[in-house]
Amino acid sequence: PCDVLVGSYSSFAELPRGARVGSASIRRQAQLLSHRPDVKVVNLRGNVQARLAALENGDVDALVLAAAGLDRLGSGNSHGRRIDMPKYHKVPVENMMPGAAQGIVCVTCRADDNDALSLLHRIDNKEARIAATAERALLDVVDKGLQHKWPGRPPVAAYMSRDDDGWVLRGLLATPNGSKVVRTLRREKTDCSNEHASELGELAGRDLLNEAGTTFLAGYR
């Protein structure tokens, strides 16, 4: 689920002052600027290939992209040909928290399609479902809490993972320019259920809203 820094630099700290960094994600832009307010964010649009072309052509000095997208691209295109990938380095979650359910594949089917439901039940990844449930619950709370204060979705991130003590849910809310960032961290026991994951996400979402207060996004439109 992580994001990666694509190009010749292995970390945000290595980027030269005033570096041009391409990203179309307000979440990634805000977190990058919170660590490196001196860089110039270039709002690149288009598919992954188009963004990689911008890097190759020198339009930007680096890119921040989802690791999952690069992995899919590197495994082969629609014609089955593998694509040569540029250098890239994983960005630690502490520096770039992923979006809710980033990297998780969701499959839907008709509610009355028992054959499909039986197949999907066999391939369902319980841990991925728990992570997605918690992260989406956090996102829902933040979205509803800010729906009258922000036209759209502000920079918000969520990441559910496991460690030796159980499940850990991290959340983040930032201003678009990265000047203000609030974070939360909540834990759940090892045998976390979908219901517990949803409750955990709701609590974490309220943490962010309470920490941000009512004027967090004032002046940003």
Side-chain angles (χ1 to χ4, degrees), residues 75-82:
S75 64
N77 59 18
S78 59
H79 301 290
R81 294 193 297 269
R82 188 174 181 84

Side-chain angles (χ1 to χ4, degrees), residues 89-132:
H89 298 84
K90 178 180 177 180
V91 182
V93 172
E94 293 75 17
N95 293 341
M96 183 67 68
M97 195 179 299
Q102 180 172 312
I104 296 176
V105 177
C106 176
V107 182
T108 62
C109 72
R110 298 191 309 275
D112 60 352
D113 191 338
N114 293 325
D115 290 339
L117 287 170
S118 177
L119 175 61
L120 294 177
H121 180 73
R122 291 199 297 271
I123 66 173
D124 186 46
N125 185 304
K126 180 182 177 181
E127 293 196 353
R129 178 179 290 276
I130 288 172

Side-chain angles (χ1 to χ4, degrees), residues 147-199:
Q147 62 183 347
H148 300 303
K149 302 180 180 69
W150 180 261
R153 177 173 292 160
V156 58
Y159 180 55
M160 180 83 149
S161 61
R162 297 192 68 167
D163 62 15
D164 293 339
D165 298 319
W167 289 93
V168 183
L169 175 61
R170 296 172 174 85
L172 174 147
L173 176 64
T175 54
N177 66 358
S179 62
K180 293 187 289 185
V181 178
V182 294
R183 299 172 182 269
T184 186
L185 185 150
R186 281 187 173 264
R187 291 184 172 273
E188 183 55 87
K189 56 188 177 182
T190 303
D191 57 342
C192 182
S193 66
N194 288 327
E195 291 75 17
H196 287 146
S198 182
E199 293 171 1

